[in-house]
Structure formats: C-alpha cells, structure tokens
Amino acid sequence: MSKKRSQPLITPEILRGAVIGSFTKLNPRYMMKNPVMFVVEVGFFISLLLSFFPGLFGDVGNNLRMYNIVVAVILLITVLFANFAESVAEGRGKAQAESLKKTQKDTKARLLKADGTETVVSSSELKKGDVVMVSAGEIIPNDGEVIEGIASVDESAITGESAPVVREAGGDFSSVTGGTTVVSDWLKVRITSDPGDSFLDRMIALVEGASRKKTPNEIALNTLLVSLTVIFLIVIVTLYPIALYSGVQLQTSTLIALMVCLIPTTIGGLLSAIGIAGMDRVTRFNVIAMSGKAVEACGDVDTMILDKTGTITYGNRLAADFFPVGGACREELVRCAALTSLHDGTPEGKSTLALARLQGEDCGEPQGARFIAFTAQTRMSGVDLPGGRSVRKGASDAIEKYVCEMGGKVPEDLARRVAEVSALGGTPLAVCEDSRILGVIYLKDTVKAGMAERFKRLRAIGIKTIMCTGDNPLTAATIAKEAGVDGFIAECKPEDKIALIKKEQAEGKIVAMTGDGTNDAPALAQANVGLAMNSGTAAAKEAANMVDLDSDPTKILEVVEIGKQLLITRGSLTTFSIANDIAKYFAIIPAMFMMAIPQLGVLNIMDLATPHSAILSALIFNAIIIPCLIPLALRGVKYRPMSSGRMLARNMMLYGLGGVIAPFAGIKLIDMLIHPLLALWGF
C-alpha cells in the first residue's frame, strides 16, 4: 500500500493565499453561509460604528471610544482567524489540485472511425463512446475502457506510484485514466467520459473544494450551533432590561462581547475547516471520495464486507498440484486442466497451464474449439471440443451440478480430496470431461501478513467483518479462521453480496465493501460505502462513492479509520468549544454586575483585575484559541481503536474537562498582561 502523500501543514504559498482569503471572505454575502461567524461580524460592525459615535445607543462612561475600538479590533481578529482556518484548509486542497492540473494536457488523440481509418483530433473533442488508439509513449487522452490489446501504463501522475501497471482488455484491469502514459505496446480504448467530466476533472474539483457540499452531520451540527446562537442572542437582549432594573448601565460593546464569548465561536470558526481537512486526509491517502457524505459514512460503518481473493489473501492463487479422483489417471487430468486453461488469462489459469507443461503436457489449441469464459454466475470455465466433447474447470459444487445435469455420477473420493485441499487453506478446482469428474486442482492461497491484527482492531471498535468468497465452505472456514474475520459466506455469487448488504442495512447498520469488477457494481452501489479499485472496470468506479488510486482492497480498513477520525475531531472540538463557555461565565458575568451587586464577587474566582480587563481578557482568549486549534482541526484528533464508551470517556476528559480548565488559565494570564496597559488608558 502506498504511503500517505506528505505535505507540510502550511507552506509559504498556502500562508499567502490564506491571509488574502481571510480578508476576501469578510464579504457579508459569504459570511452568511456561516451564521455563527456572521453574528460576530455584525458585532464588529456595530462596535466599529460605536467607535465613531460612542453615545449612539445611549451608552455612558469613561473612554468609551477607546473601549469600543478595542472591542471592534478583537472581533475583527476573531473573524479573520476563522476565515484563516478555512482558507488554510482550502489552500492545502488547491495546492494538491494544482499539481494534478499539470497532468491535464490538451493532447492529440488518434480517433478510430467506423471504417477503420484514423484521424488525429484534440483530446477535448473526444466524446463518450469514441474509440482511440494509444501506442507506447503516448498519453491516454481521456478515461476509458481497454477493448483490445495489453500494455504497461505509467499512472504515477495520478497515484504517485512509479511502477507501471498492466492494463488489458477484458477482466477487472481494463479501466484506464486520462492523463496517464502508455509505456509499452498499444491499447485500443473506448472513451467512457465526456470532456470536463473525466476522473481527473472530478478529482481536481473535489480537492479544490469547488464541489464540496456540507454533509448531513455537518448540517445537523451547524443547525445546533445556530440554535445556540439564537438562544444566547435572546438571553443578551433580555439581559439589558434586567440590568437596568438592577441599576446597572450595560454598554452596548459589553453586551456584544458577552454574546460573542457565549456563542460557540470556536467550533463555528473551525467547522468548515474540519470538513475540508477530512476530505483532504482521504485524498492524501490516494483515495478519492465522491462526496463528504461518503467520508462521514466511513466513520459510522458497522459492517465491512470484503472479498477473500486479493483482499484478505494475496489473490494470485497458483496451481500447486493435481489430484485425480474416481480412478482417473493423472495424465488425463493434467491434459484436461491444461485445455481449459488455454484461454484463461487469470493467474489461476496461467499457473495451471504452466504447471501442466512443467509436468510434460504440451497440448496445443484444438482446431474448431469453442472456449467458455468464467463467469461469477456459473463459477466455471472450459472448452467445447469438435465432436461434441466438453471439458470444464471450476468450483467443486458447480462442477458436481454440471456433471449431474449431464447424467454423470460424482466420485466418492471427490469430497475427501476437496476437504484435504480446503483444510490446507487452498482452493480446490474440480475438472470434468463430459459427465465424468477427473480430479481436483490444488490452488495455494495465502492470507496477507498482519490481516488478523487489523481485523482485531476493527473488532475493538465494534465493526463486524464478513468475508465473501466463491470457495467451498471448508476452504472459506479455514481462511476465515486464519484471517480472524467475524463471519464468511462461501460459494458466494454477486446477488448473494447484495442480499447480505440489504440484510445488514435492514437491521439499521452502515455497510462498507470493496470491489473492482462489473459484477461488483450492484453491490458497491447498494453499500453505504463502496470503495472501487482504480484498476477496476468503469462500471465499478461509477457505482462506488470512493475510488482507491492504488487499487489496494485492504485500504478500506484505513479509510474507515479516517472517517472515524473526522467524526471524532468534529465532536472533540465541539465539546471543547462549548466547555469554554463555562470559564467565560465566571469572567464576564461577575464583571458586569459586581459593582451593583457586590455579592457576585464570589463568582470572580479568577480574581480578575477590573470589569473592563475581565471582559477584554475573555474576548481575546475567545479570538486566539481559534488559530491555536487550526493544526488540530487540519491533522485531526488522533484515532485509537477502542470501544465507543471508552472513546467518549477519554474525549470528555481531554476535551471536556480540558475545555473548562484551559480558559481559566488563559483568561487569567491575559488579564495579568493587559491590566497594566488598560490602567494607562484609564480603564
């Protein structure tokens, strides 16, 4: 698996762009998208107005003009810091998008016409359904599907992986991406996207944030923050007449300061940055999420469905031996196994043919033979020979059914041989000629290193793992036990995956799965989180809501953790923001009423110097905490696999209790620093 793409938190280019963005985002029409910070901006404009007309609302007191100026400046800084956080997050995405744009070139493409002739056109003129020829050294002009040929393709511009990959017609490795380069041989490609709608175009739009929409959880939290803001706004409005009744003349800037300190400005200023950074983290892991909703869904996954081959095991199941059954001779079994593998381009087929030839079988392709390709439905392949003979190779139960339909009998020792191979963790393939089963091919299958530990991590956070395989139950059980999955489905067909997903979803669970083939497309579309391989078919990538550029099926495990990190980060910083208000109550409320109600002095537990010093200290802390939390918002709260109960308790202790303690210390320190300065100004 490829490593995460590393990038400094803030580069000089990102910093410059973020500073400019902090000011350009002050436009009220833009700020209205973030109601919490819009309220702060309105407070700034009112304070700024009072700086020129101190008595506009009937305020009285000493140095009102200076006090209003100070409050206005602090509020402006608060808004700028919030805009800065969002601009930094966007800048990181835009920096990545710029590197991707460099791969976008208006190249020349060799368009094949219906009559077989070629014409050279610009890649921007290609439409969905066009067929182009691409030879070694040429750039693939747009996304497409290989319909003829086999070639090595350099996808480093997209994936960051320098090693070329093989793309060929048919199977699950036929998809190619526009902007990649053919290194050797040639490919005939059918274009699968219109100009401006390629995978690279969508990828750029996503990392830039141009197509980012607020996720359901983000919308829900934003609604909560707006509700809290409205509540505190009502509290502030009603506080003024209460203060007058108590004989306290509250200044307008003081009420604004109280309101800004009480509303959730910290999380309001960081909420957008957290969402953008979450998408960015997924992208840097070489995974393209089609929406923020997909990333969020990863954090809520309850059930994970994984293919065995290529995900849990290495996937290149190689033929290791032949076991005759029913009195068949070994040479006959080897010959028929070789015949069925002549046109089988899978690793299993190629290794079977190679092993047969190693054992002396040198069969050529018979004249007039008709080869039957493997399908997920039939789970077997083979060849129909001249004279009416048929040879088949496939899953033992599929071959048994085929032979019985032909009127043949299943050898008594077949089940024993299948069980022996399965017990070794291998995959048995039965071979038959007409209605007679000849024997079993032993395919060795090895579980990837570290899979058991990774599934244990998932189990610790309450995620159930289910392995799907076309193997027989005994093989499936052996592999499942070795890998440490929670359950398995043997002899699995595409429709079985869909049925399983629907069953889990009917129980209220969020389901994730991986796939790369056209037969996986319906299941990928049905799952809440569908991770398609970049090497897979166009159908699979269209059906999924995530695409892994490295084509590593096991990456779904890391993607789930990134999704959980996003949810944890948002929840932790929301807890911290709301907890901050507790300290601000003890700073501002006593300062406002202590002169008229001396008994409130008992609430001044921080022993703040003066009412003005207390209010401004709380306001300054409220502003500077936002940039202090930007690194945490961008990097995310570190995720540790544990139960939801333990995770909640830990985060409440760290961000809940920490959110209460930090402002007490911070406001007191700021008060000690600014009190001498305020004394010089006569406050």
Side-chain angles (χ1 to χ4, degrees):
M1 184 178 67
S2 66
K3 297 179 181 178
K4 291 172 77 173
R5 296 180 181 177
S6 60
Q7 180 185 356
L9 193 65
I10 301 179
T11 63
E13 291 78 14
I14 293 174
L15 181 61
R16 282 194 295 270
V19 171
I20 296 170
S22 302
F23 287 92
T24 58
K25 292 178 186 290
L26 289 175
N27 186 334
R29 287 183 296 179
Y30 184 87
M31 293 299 299
M32 288 178 70
K33 297 178 183 178
N34 187 342
V36 177
M37 299 314 300
F38 179 67
V39 169
V40 180
E41 187 176 44
V42 171
F44 157 69
F45 284 123
I46 295 172
S47 299
L48 184 64
L49 183 65
L50 291 171
S51 301
F52 295 99
F53 310 102
L56 184 63
F57 299 121
D59 296 339
V60 294
N62 298 324
N63 293 327
L64 272 182
R65 189 182 302 274
M66 178 59 69
Y67 178 64
N68 292 333
I69 290 173
V70 173
V71 171
V73 169
I74 298 173
L75 294 180
L76 176 61
I77 291 172
T78 303
V79 177
L80 289 174
F81 280 159
N83 290 344
F84 179 80
E86 183 178 357
S87 296
V88 168
E90 289 176 346
R92 285 166 61 84
K94 288 177 180 177
Q96 189 175 358
E98 286 301 318
S99 66
L100 290 172
K101 285 178 180 178
K102 293 178 181 177
T103 66
Q104 283 190 312
K105 301 175 182 175
D106 188 13
T107 59
K108 297 296 181 183
R110 291 189 283 153
L111 177 65
L112 296 179
K113 295 183 177 180
D115 58 5
T117 59
E118 287 186 10
T119 180
V120 178
V121 299
S122 172
S123 59
S124 58
E125 298 176 23
L126 294 174
K127 303 183 298 296
K128 188 175 181 179
D130 288 341
V131 177
V132 297
M133 180 68 73
V134 191
S135 300
E138 295 178 346
I139 296 174
I140 297 172
N142 208 338
D143 297 352
E145 194 112 21
V146 179
I147 59 175
E148 191 177 331
I150 179 170
S152 297
V153 180
D154 179 6
E155 296 185 344
S156 58
I158 307 295
T159 67
E161 181 60 52
S162 58
V165 294
V166 176
R167 294 289 177 260
E168 59 184 321
D172 296 337
F173 298 93
S174 60
S175 179
V176 290
T177 306
T180 57
T181 305
V182 175
V183 179
S184 66
D185 302 297
W186 58 270
L187 296 172
K188 189 182 288 185
V189 178
R190 180 182 289 114
I191 302 300
T192 56
S193 64
D194 291 316
D197 193 39
S198 69
F199 183 74
L200 195 58
D201 290 317
R202 285 180 288 164
M203 185 176 172
I204 291 169
L206 285 164
V207 299
E208 276 187 320
S211 61
R212 193 184 100 86
K213 297 179 181 178
K214 288 185 177 180
T215 63
N217 284 351
E218 195 173 346
I219 292 171
L221 180 56
N222 200 53
T223 304
L224 173 63
L225 299 182
V226 171
S227 302
L228 289 174
T229 302
V230 172
I231 290 169
F232 283 121
L233 193 59
I234 295 170
V235 169
I236 298 302
V237 171
T238 57
L239 192 62
Y240 187 76
I242 294 173
L244 285 178
Y245 180 79
S246 304
V248 179
Q249 177 69 43
L250 293 178
Q251 296 159 351
T252 305
S253 290
T254 298
L255 290 172
I256 293 172
L258 176 62
M259 181 189 65
V260 170
C261 287
L262 294 186
I263 65 176
T265 50
T266 304
I267 186 62
L270 295 172
L271 186 59
S272 181
I274 293 169
I276 295 170
M279 290 283 290
D280 186 60
R281 280 195 293 276
V282 172
T283 306
R284 292 182 193 287
F285 222 86
N286 264 7
V287 173
I288 300 301
M290 300 308 171
S291 67
K293 184 180 178 180
V295 181
E296 261 188 5
C298 289
D300 292 324
V301 166
D302 302 298
T303 303
M304 191 179 296
I305 298 172
L306 307 105
D307 279 324
K308 184 203 74 172
T309 306
T311 305
I312 294 173
T313 62
Y314 282 105
N316 291 332
R317 298 179 297 179
L318 304 179
D321 208 348
F322 300 100
F323 298 114
V325 298
C329 69
R330 184 181 179 88
E331 290 76 15
E332 194 176 11
L333 169 61
V334 173
R335 177 180 58 81
C336 288
L339 279 172
T340 62
S341 303
L342 287 172
H343 280 216
D344 188 348
T346 64
E348 295 91 338
K350 291 177 180 177
S351 67
T352 298
L353 186 60
L355 182 63
R357 286 172 173 169
L358 192 65
Q359 297 190 8
E361 178 59 47
D362 191 20
C363 66
E365 183 174 330
Q367 287 288 334
R370 186 173 68 90
F371 289 88
I372 311 298
F374 175 88
T375 68
Q377 285 72 31
T378 62
R379 296 190 298 126
M380 60 183 179
S381 60
V383 57
D384 291 334
L385 299 170
R389 291 191 305 130
S390 63
V391 184
R392 294 290 186 271
K393 171 188 71 182
S396 60
D397 63 312
I399 295 295
E400 287 178 25
K401 183 181 178 182
Y402 176 80
V403 166
C404 291
E405 289 175 351
M406 297 266 299
K409 292 184 178 180
V410 178
E412 294 181 359
D413 56 344
L414 176 65
R416 177 174 59 82
R417 283 295 190 187
V418 168
E420 288 174 357
V421 172
S422 301
L424 295 171
T427 299
L429 289 183
V431 179
C432 71
E433 185 177 21
D434 295 327
S435 61
R436 180 185 173 211
I437 297 179
L438 302 176
V440 173
I441 306 171
Y442 170 29
L443 299 179
K444 292 188 76 173
D445 211 354
T446 308
V447 174
K448 292 181 178 179
M451 291 303 295
E453 290 76 14
R454 298 172 84 178
F455 289 132
K456 186 178 179 181
R457 289 179 65 189
L458 291 172
R459 197 175 299 110
I461 57 177
I463 295 177
K464 180 172 70 174
T465 52
I466 301 174
M467 181 185 77
C468 292
T469 176
D471 291 337
N472 65 77
L474 185 56
T475 300
T478 303
I479 296 293
K481 184 179 180 181
E482 186 179 349
V485 295
D486 298 310
F488 67 90
I489 297 180
E491 299 173 350
C492 183
K493 299 182 181 70
E495 54 267 29
D496 297 330
K497 293 180 184 178
I498 298 175
L500 174 62
I501 293 170
K502 288 182 176 179
K503 176 178 175 292
E504 293 290 320
Q505 290 173 334
E507 297 174 3
K509 296 177 180 177
I510 305 296
V511 182
M513 77 158 287
T514 63
D516 57 6
T518 302
N519 63 313
D520 292 323
L524 287 169
Q526 181 64 40
N528 303 90
V529 178
L531 179 66
M533 304 297 103
N534 190 42
S535 62
T537 62
K541 291 195 285 187
E542 287 294 327
N545 49 23
M546 287 186 165
V547 177
D548 176 26
L549 301 179
D550 298 323
S551 301
D552 179 6
T554 64
K555 201 181 284 186
I556 187 73
L557 307 177
E558 280 78 12
V559 170
V560 166
E561 292 189 349
I562 292 172
K564 286 191 174 295
Q565 186 185 35
L566 171 62
L567 297 180
I568 292 167
T569 301
R570 189 182 291 145
S572 298
L573 292 184
T574 301
T575 303
F576 184 87
S577 176
I578 295 173
N580 275 195
D581 292 342
I582 297 173
K584 297 168 190 173
Y585 298 148
F586 287 97
I588 296 182
I589 299 296
M592 293 171 62
F593 293 97
M594 205 160 49
M595 299 299 291
I597 312 173
Q599 292 84 351
L600 285 177
V602 71
L603 296 178
N604 187 20
I605 60 178
M606 286 181 277
D607 192 28
L608 302 177
T610 66
H612 284 107
S613 175
I615 293 166
L616 293 177
S617 296
L619 203 58
I620 292 170
F621 178 85
N622 193 67
I624 64 175
I625 197 65
I626 295 176
C628 291
L629 293 175
I630 288 177
L632 188 62
L634 297 182
R635 292 200 175 103
V637 174
K638 189 173 181 180
Y639 170 73
R640 292 179 175 85
M642 62 181 71
S643 65
S644 53
R646 282 186 60 198
M647 191 180 300
L648 179 62
R650 179 182 177 276
N651 287 346
M652 287 299 296
M653 180 64 68
L654 187 59
Y655 297 98
L657 185 60
V660 173
I661 295 173
F664 275 98
I667 291 171
K668 179 60 180 177
L669 180 61
I670 294 169
D671 177 75
M672 292 169 62
L673 293 173
I674 70 170
H675 173 59
L677 184 61
L678 293 177
L680 291 175
W681 288 347
F683 292 110

